[in-house]
Amino acid sequence: MDIPDEVLGQLGNRIQHALRAYTPRDQKAVKAAAQTFRTNPILDTETVITQLGVGEALISFLDEKGRPNIVEQALIRPPFSQIGPIETKDRKRIIQSSLVYGVYEKSVDRESAYEMLKKRAEQAPKPAPASKKKPGRKRQGIVETMAKSAARSVGRQIATQLMRGILGSFLKK
């Protein structure tokens, strides 16, 4: 119940230790946990979960093709370790005895997205130099802006005086 359903649904390898079901809520949790395993026709997962002893668990791991195997009851080997680094010959022996030995030894350095985009940018056609570009609008200087503003103002005043004169002559008649 501590793990969200979205995460629980994506787990490939499962190890379920004993669950005790004393309350209706606990019984519901046991049933839900049992239903998350791939069923085994010779094993009642829901019953076995409540009867597991110390060192026992229900397990389901992915097969070689990444598919979940059916649930099995198993004894769990207690963890073991050593103090200090492992010897090179022991490391080599452990690696070579692994089921996935030969699959991940070859280092592959694939091109990153950054490298692909950089290469594409280098191969893209270069923009034309500024002299060959079509003439665009240039920014006006302060003097030019002031001159245009003054010309507009004078033009507006002349137009206003003309309109008054023309309209005034019509209205006086």
Side-chain angles (χ1 to χ4, degrees):
M1 291 184 339
D2 297 336
I3 301 173
D5 289 339
E6 295 82 22
V7 174
L8 205 56
Q10 297 301 314
L11 296 178
N13 297 333
R14 300 276 320 274
I15 301 174
Q16 179 66 59
H17 295 279
L19 292 175
R20 304 296 177 233
Y22 299 114
T23 67
R25 184 176 180 207
D26 293 342
Q27 291 168 356
K28 189 176 180 182
V30 167
K31 187 174 188 165
Q35 289 173 345
T36 61
F37 283 101
R38 185 170 164 209
T39 57
N40 183 340
I42 61 170
L43 186 71
D44 181 5
T45 308
E46 191 175 335
T47 304
V48 174
I49 285 178
T50 61
Q51 297 173 352
L52 291 171
V54 174
E56 293 181 312
L58 291 176
I59 61 168
S60 176
F61 295 107
L62 300 177
D63 67 10
E64 300 81 28
K65 293 187 177 182
R67 299 172 299 205
N69 284 314
I70 61 173
V71 65
E72 296 284 345
Q73 186 175 355
L75 291 174
I76 303 297
R77 180 177 177 193
F80 66 96
S81 61
Q82 71 177 38
I83 296 177
I86 191 170
E87 297 289 327
T88 305
K89 62 181 175 130
D90 292 333
R91 179 180 293 112
K92 201 176 268 189
R93 179 183 47 78
I94 292 169
I95 291 171
Q96 289 176 347
S97 66
S98 169
L99 293 174
V100 292
Y101 178 69
V103 178
Y104 298 106
E105 280 71 34
K106 185 179 178 186
S107 179
V108 178
D109 184 22
R110 293 190 175 101
E111 234 179 345
S112 70
Y114 170 77
E115 292 167 330
M116 289 179 197
L117 290 172
K118 186 177 175 185
K119 187 186 295 183
R120 191 181 301 165
E122 290 170 356
Q123 293 173 349
K126 304 289 185 238
S131 62
K132 293 182 182 178
K133 287 186 177 180
K134 293 180 181 177
R137 252 179 102 163
K138 287 196 250 174
R139 289 184 57 108
Q140 296 177 354
I142 294 174
V143 175
E144 190 178 356
T145 304
M146 288 174 51
K148 283 186 179 181
S149 178
R152 271 191 226 107
S153 180
V154 169
R156 230 180 271 121
Q157 286 178 356
I158 292 172
T160 302
Q161 293 299 324
L162 280 172
M163 289 304 286
R164 281 187 185 159
I166 293 170
L167 289 174
S169 65
F170 283 129
L171 294 175
K172 288 182 184 176
K173 289 184 181 176

